[in-house]
Amino acid sequence: DQQVKQNSPSLSVQEGRISILNCDYTNSMFDYFLWYKKYPAEGPTFLISISSIKDKNEDGRFTVFLNKSAKHLSLHIVPSQPGDSAVYFCAASSITGTASKLTFGTGTRLQVTL
Amino acid sequence: DAMVIQNPRYQVTQFGKPVTLSCSQTLNHNVMYWYQQKSSQAPKLLFHYYDKDFNNEADTPDNFQSRRPNTSFCFLDIRSPGLGDAAMYLCATSSSGTSNQPQHFGDGTRLSIL
């Protein structure tokens, strides 16, 4: 049972345009949502997060929006740059045992074209 | 630079032959995690340590064990690897167990089973 879903395996966007990556979740107990970026042959790198009590968080070109009623979040990248080409993972955090646990989506491969 | 280092990057073992994967960190973080990621799937948490306290996920196979001899090092032991254990194994750390602290990942070890 996949609790975090990224339904678009891939996305292609022109340089300078907006990239919108989507993520849906099913578990209401998630308290934080995070986006990670992954280049080939490297581990995931933290990008931006949002608390479940907020609906928007912005960091430079990256903005994450959370719609709790729809159990949906999205990552907006404006303007998109070729260096943004990577796999983006949505992750949701909950407490398990003594620490937080991340439940990941399967990722969306973003290709930013010239 | 403070970081999470996984060794080796690529590991090949024979069916049924025990194998150990290594993770070290210079971040001095309390929590260390091990994830398994199979091709085109989401990373899946196997277990984590909060300091010396070990927390196993309910669906982690008994074949998988872990050791944390000190703050800096954590090992993943696979006692009798099967073909289904071929995957990327990711180590991550976080400063505390709270959800607002992002996890920092190593570059992973890709395990192949012959």
Side-chain angles (χ1 to χ4, degrees):
Chain A
D1 177 29
Q2 222 178 325
Q3 296 187 62
V4 177
K5 291 182 183 177
Q6 294 177 257
N7 290 318
S8 298
S10 63
L11 175 67
S12 183
V13 172
Q14 267 190 324
E15 182 181 12
R17 298 286 191 102
I18 184 171
S19 295
I20 300 176
L21 294 92
N22 294 304
C23 179
D24 297 295
Y25 63 95
T26 57
N27 188 343
S28 301
M29 299 304 292
F30 291 136
D31 59 350
Y32 253 84
F33 300 89
L34 305 91
W35 285 93
Y36 282 81
K37 177 179 179 179
K38 186 182 182 304
Y39 291 118
E42 294 184 12
T45 302
F46 170 71
L47 193 57
I48 191 169
S49 65
I50 187 167
S51 165
S52 61
I53 62 172
K54 301 204 169 175
D55 55 18
K56 178 182 174 181
N57 187 27
E58 192 172 352
D59 183 3
R61 295 186 298 114
F62 303 91
T63 303
V64 57
F65 295 93
L66 176 63
N67 182 333
K68 278 190 73 174
S69 60
K71 293 191 174 68
H72 177 83
L73 64 153
S74 61
L75 174 67
H76 292 211
I77 307 173
V78 183
S80 301
Q81 299 174 354
D84 296 330
S85 297
V87 177
Y88 289 79
F89 288 97
C90 170
S93 183
S94 56
I95 297 297
T96 181
T98 53
S100 67
K101 162 184 176 176
L102 290 181
T103 303
F104 283 89
T106 51
T108 296
R109 183 178 301 277
L110 173 65
Q111 179 75 35
V112 179
T113 59
L114 296 174
Chain B
D1 283 343
M3 56 196 337
V4 181
I5 301 167
Q6 291 189 243
N7 284 305
R9 294 294 308 277
Y10 301 91
Q11 177 74 56
V12 181
T13 191
Q14 289 180 330
F15 182 94
K17 186 173 181 181
V19 66
T20 295
L21 309 182
S22 168
C23 178
S24 65
Q25 55 135 338
T26 59
L27 298 159
N28 205 32
H29 282 173
N30 291 320
V31 193
M32 295 187 78
Y33 305 81
W34 280 104
Y35 290 84
Q36 178 193 62
Q37 185 183 16
K38 295 187 177 179
S39 182
S40 301
Q41 294 185 21
K44 180 176 173 298
L45 181 65
L46 295 173
F47 25 59
H48 76 269
Y49 272 95
Y50 190 108
D51 290 333
K52 292 186 181 296
D53 292 334
F54 177 71
N55 291 264
N56 201 27
E57 291 299 298
D59 55 357
T60 298
D62 293 339
N63 204 20
F64 290 81
Q65 296 177 337
S66 186
R67 296 170 283 134
R68 190 179 186 185
N70 54 52
T71 300
S72 300
F73 285 88
C74 195
F75 300 100
L76 170 61
D77 300 308
I78 309 176
R79 284 190 299 183
S80 181
L83 296 178
D85 297 328
M88 174 70 81
Y89 290 88
L90 294 164
C91 175
T93 72
S94 69
S95 59
S96 71
T98 55
S99 291
N100 63 341
Q101 294 298 320
Q103 295 181 20
H104 301 261
F105 285 81
D107 289 337
T109 294
R110 182 166 296 282
L111 178 66
S112 300
I113 314 294
L114 298 180

